[in-house]
C-alpha cells in the first residue's frame, strides 16, 4: 500500500468536483486498511474514507489528512447468502447475483457507487433499500477494532444508518437474497436502467442532492393551501424534493457552472468547470426559497465535505 501526496480528488467523484487530498491511499485488503489507519494514527492525521464517490461533494480546497479509497473486492456466494466487500460496485454485485440466480437487488439498478457507501446511506429506490437485503455488517469501530453488527442494530431508515452517526468504517457485509424469477428480475433491471437513461441527467452529478420530505395525513390541508398537491405522494408519505424545487421554478437555475438540472429538479449538475462553492451557494439558495415559499426544510442527501 502506497501513500501518495497531493492527489486531486475530482476524478474520483461522479460530480467531478474537489481539490486535493493531502495524503491518499488506495486500499485493497483489510491488512492494507489497518496499515493505512496506523500510519494516520502515528502521524496524527485525520482520516476520510470513501468508495465510489457518487454521493459526495468535496470542497475546492480538498481534504486535509489521509483520504482512503476503499477497494475491498471480496465477493462470495453460498446458496442464498452473499459475502461482499465494501468496495464492490453495486452494479457488479447486482449482475453477479443474477448470474448466480439470485434476485432481490433490483432496487440497485442504476445506482452508482459501492456496497460500503450504499450501506452507510441505506441507498435505494422504489421504497426498497440496502438495509432490506443486508443481514450483518463487518466494520472497524472508533478504536479500529474489527466487529460484526447484526442488521437490527444498524438502525436502517430512509437514507440513514448507524454508520452515518458513528462514522464506523464498513469493511464487508453479508446479504440474504432470494431464488426468485431471474428472467423477470433481469427484465425489471433493464426497464429501470432505460427509465433512468431517458429521465435522469447524464452530466456529472452526485445523484439527488436533497432527501424527500416526510409528511403526515394531518399536514395535507396545510400543504394544499401552499399549492402542494400531495395526493399522488400518499403511498410513500414523502414529498419528493424535486417536485418542490420544480414548483419553486428553480429548474435550470445556475450559479457559476452548477445548475439545477432542467431534466430532474433534484439533481444539481456540473456544466463542466463547477466549483464546490457554486454547488454550496446553489443548494443554500434552493433551501431558502423552499423554506420561504412552502415553509418546508430541505436536507442534503449528498455528503458535503467542504
Ligand atoms: C447518477 C446518480 C444516481 C443516483 N441514484 C441514487 C438512487 O437512486 N438511490 C440512492 O440511494 N442513491 C443514489 N445515488 C447516490 C449514490 O449512488 C449512493 O448514495 C451510493 O450508495 C454511494 O456509494 P459510494 O460508494 O459512491 O459512496 P461515496 O460517495 O464514496 O461516499 C458517501 C459517504 O459514505 C461514506 N463511505 C463510503 N464508503 C464507506 C465505508 N466503506 N464505510 C463507511 N463509510 C463509507 C463516505 O465517507 C461518505 O461520507 C445516485 C448517485 C448518482 C451520481
Amino acid at each position: 500500500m502506497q501513500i501518495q501526496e497531493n492527489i486531486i480528488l475530482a476524478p474520483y467523484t461522479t460530480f467531478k468536483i474537489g481539490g486535493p487530498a493531502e495524503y491518499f491511499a488506495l486500499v485493497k485488503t483489510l491488512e492494507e486498511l489497518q496499515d493505512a489507519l496506523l500510519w494516520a494514527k502515528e502521524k496524527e492525521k485525520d482520516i476520510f474514507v470513501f468508495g465510489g464517490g457518487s454521493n459526495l461533494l468535496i470542497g475546492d480546497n480538498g481534504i486535509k489528512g489521509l483520504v482512503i479509497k476503499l477497494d475491498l473486492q471480496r465477493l462470495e456466494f453460498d446458496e442464498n447468502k452473499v459475502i461482499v466487500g465494501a468496495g464492490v460496485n453495486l452494479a457488479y454485485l447486482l449482475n453477479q447475483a443474477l448470474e448466480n440466480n439470485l434476485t432481490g437487488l433490483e432496487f440497485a439498478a442504476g445506482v452508482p457507487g459501492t456496497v460500503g457507501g450504499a450501506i452507510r446511506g441505506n441507498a435505494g429506490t422504489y421504497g426498497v433499500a440496502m438495509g432490506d437485503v443486508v443481514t450483518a455488517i463487518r466494520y472497524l469501530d472508533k478504536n479500529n477494532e474489527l466487529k460484526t453488527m447484526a442488521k437490527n442494530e444498524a438502525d436502517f431508515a430512509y437514507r440513514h444508518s448507524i454508520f452515518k452517526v458513528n462514522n464506523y468504517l464498513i469493511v464487508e457485509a453479508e446479504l440474504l437474497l432470494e431464488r426468485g424469477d431471474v428472467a423477470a428480475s433481469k427484465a425489471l433491471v433493464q426497464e429501470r436502467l432505460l427509465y433512468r437513461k431517458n429521465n435522469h441527467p447524464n452530466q456529472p452529478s452526485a445523484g439527488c442532492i436533497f432527501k424527500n420530505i416526510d409528511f403526515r395525513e394531518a399536514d395535507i390541508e396545510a400543504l394544499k393551501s401552499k399549492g402542494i398537491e400531495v395526493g399522488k405522494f400518499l403511498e410513500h408519505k414523502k414529498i419528493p424534493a424535486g417536485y418542490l424545487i420544480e414548483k419553486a421554478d428553480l429548474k435550470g437555475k445556475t450559479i457559476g457552472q452548477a445548475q439545477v438540472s432542467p431534466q430532474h429538479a433534484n439533481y444539481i449538475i456540473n456544466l463542466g468547470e463547477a466549483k464546490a462553492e457554486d454547488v454550496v451557494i446553489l443548494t443554500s439558495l434552493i433551501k431558502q426559497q423552499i423554506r420561504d415559499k412552502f415553509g418546508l426544510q430541505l436536507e442534503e442527501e449528498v455528503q458535503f465535505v467542504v
Side-chain angles (χ1 to χ4, degrees):
M1 190 254 327
Q2 199 194 348
I3 300 212
Q4 298 169 277
E5 274 181 70
N6 207 24
I7 299 294
I8 299 292
L9 293 169
Y12 290 96
T13 72
T14 55
F15 232 150
K16 304 297 172 216
I17 295 176
E22 186 183 8
Y23 296 97
F24 180 86
L26 177 70
V27 157
K28 289 182 175 288
T29 63
L30 182 57
E31 293 68 37
E32 286 186 355
L33 175 59
Q34 276 162 332
D35 286 350
L37 295 173
L38 192 63
W39 181 92
K41 195 173 178 189
E42 281 170 4
K43 296 259 186 302
E44 296 185 355
K45 296 288 176 193
D46 289 337
I47 293 157
F48 180 76
V49 171
F50 76 106
S54 66
N55 202 27
L56 274 182
L57 177 70
I58 294 176
D60 301 317
N61 294 328
I63 301 181
K64 287 267 171 261
L66 176 62
V67 175
I68 299 175
K69 177 167 166 58
L70 263 199
D71 195 23
L72 305 172
Q73 292 292 338
R74 184 174 178 196
L75 183 56
E76 288 168 26
F77 290 88
D78 177 10
E79 305 210 330
N80 291 20
K81 210 171 81 176
V82 188
I83 309 279
V84 59
V88 171
N89 212 282
L90 268 189
Y92 181 73
L93 172 65
L94 168 61
N95 282 332
Q96 289 302 302
L98 288 169
E99 288 300 306
N100 282 273
N101 295 317
L102 291 171
T103 61
L105 284 170
E106 299 75 21
F107 71 88
V111 180
T114 64
V115 166
I119 291 176
R120 179 185 183 273
N122 195 19
T125 55
Y126 301 97
V128 186
M130 208 57 200
D132 296 318
V133 291
V134 165
T135 51
I137 305 107
R138 282 226 296 169
Y139 66 98
L140 294 175
D141 71 4
K142 287 183 181 126
N143 302 317
N144 296 336
E145 275 178 41
L146 191 60
K147 299 213 163 133
T148 302
M149 183 189 290
K151 170 221 189 96
N152 59 1
E153 299 168 79
D155 200 20
F156 284 119
Y158 171 65
R159 302 296 170 268
H160 176 84
S161 77
I162 197 169
F163 300 98
K164 265 196 174 173
V165 184
N166 290 354
N167 266 330
Y168 293 152
L169 213 161
I170 299 155
V171 173
E172 61 188 27
E174 188 180 298
L175 318 182
L176 191 64
L177 301 179
E178 294 146 27
R179 302 234 157 239
D181 182 341
V182 173
S185 171
K186 282 183 178 168
L188 186 59
V189 166
Q190 287 314 314
E191 185 189 306
R192 288 180 174 177
L193 290 177
L194 187 65
Y195 178 84
R196 277 184 184 246
K197 191 163 174 258
N198 293 333
N199 294 282
H200 290 208
N202 61 10
Q203 295 94 338
S205 77
C208 288
I209 199 94
F210 297 110
K211 292 182 188 170
N212 298 329
I213 299 182
D214 288 318
F215 67 92
R216 298 166 306 151
E217 243 156 272
D219 301 331
I220 292 177
E221 286 309 313
L223 289 166
K224 248 189 191 166
S225 71
K226 290 179 182 142
I228 304 172
E229 281 298 338
V230 289
K232 55 185 169 176
F233 311 129
L234 279 175
E235 190 190 344
H236 297 299
K237 295 267 181 347
K238 285 189 189 301
I239 310 173
Y243 168 82
L244 296 173
I245 298 167
E246 194 169 343
K247 279 226 126 207
D249 235 358
L250 288 167
K251 265 189 167 176
K253 177 78 190 166
T254 307
I255 301 279
Q257 288 268 295
Q259 183 180 67
V260 176
S261 163
Q263 212 175 352
H264 186 315
N266 199 16
Y267 275 64
I268 289 183
I269 53 174
N270 176 357
L271 294 176
E273 302 290 328
K275 300 277 170 222
E277 197 187 356
D278 299 336
V279 178
V280 170
I281 296 172
L282 188 53
T283 47
S284 20
L285 183 145
I286 296 168
K287 285 169 84 171
Q288 188 187 16
Q289 296 223 2
I290 299 300
R291 211 166 38 232
D292 290 352
K293 288 198 167 130
F294 309 122
L296 293 169
Q297 183 63 47
L298 287 172
E299 191 191 329
E300 286 81 359
E301 179 174 326
V302 171
Q303 173 81 22
F304 281 39
V305 193
V306 291

